[in-house]
Amino acid sequence: MNILVYVSELLKKAECYKDNLGCTIRFSKGTDADGMVFIADSAGETILELFRNPVVDPLAKVQNNPVQVRIAFKSTDIEADSEVLLKAGAALVLREEMPEIDQILILHKDPWGNIVQLVQRRADNFVK
């Protein structure tokens, strides 16, 4: 599955995700002002397509509700991963523990205003 997101500061965002979330850059073309970068998660399973187009406002139609639109990453050490994001300039939005389903969610707002979700689940719970 590929997920496409229009962003500002395309190359900086891709590098931030690479450096702080263990993503790998699979393809990059263009510039921060007008280009595209495809990145995969640390397991190499999901491709996130980051695009920048000068005529598209990346956050114009996104409401301020953090559960509405977000980029989600699985984590095996959610506290450490959250700390890395905070040190990289993200802001904490929500932390929720769900013991009934053995899950922890932490939402951050990245430096570009996008919501990044970290989720840690028991190995046999939900999607692997």
Side-chain angles (χ1 to χ4, degrees):
M1 174 198 318
N2 290 13
I3 302 162
L4 184 144
V5 180
Y6 279 94
V7 299
S8 60
E9 296 186 303
L10 172 72
L11 302 177
K12 287 180 184 177
K13 185 177 191 89
E15 287 295 319
C16 179
Y17 284 11
K18 180 184 80 141
D19 294 344
N20 297 296
L21 291 169
C23 296
T24 56
I25 295 175
R26 295 285 180 94
F27 175 81
S28 180
K29 181 179 179 181
T31 67
D32 251 356
D34 189 8
M36 67 181 82
V37 177
F38 292 5
I39 64 175
D41 64 8
S42 59
E45 296 175 357
T46 301
I47 297 291
L48 177 62
E49 300 177 14
L50 302 177
F51 281 80
R52 177 67 178 121
N53 182 325
V55 299
V56 176
D57 180 353
L59 298 176
K61 299 203 181 230
V62 177
Q63 294 182 11
N64 233 355
N65 184 343
V67 299
Q68 190 170 3
V69 177
R70 57 192 164 189
I71 302 167
F73 293 90
K74 289 189 289 186
S75 174
T76 57
D77 188 346
I78 199 165
E79 302 302 335
D81 290 340
S82 177
E83 192 60 34
V84 167
L85 288 176
L86 293 171
K87 286 180 181 175
L92 181 65
V93 173
L94 172 74
R95 184 181 196 291
E96 185 174 4
E97 293 191 38
M98 296 170 238
E100 68 280 3
I101 57 173
D102 197 15
Q103 174 175 288
I104 302 170
L105 274 177
I106 302 179
L107 302 182
H108 302 83
K109 187 175 278 192
D110 74 16
W112 300 273
N114 298 287
I115 300 298
V116 176
Q117 170 188 298
L118 297 175
V119 61
Q120 184 173 319
R121 297 178 176 126
R122 191 177 68 228
D124 62 342
N125 213 0
F126 297 100
V127 181
K128 294 185 180 183

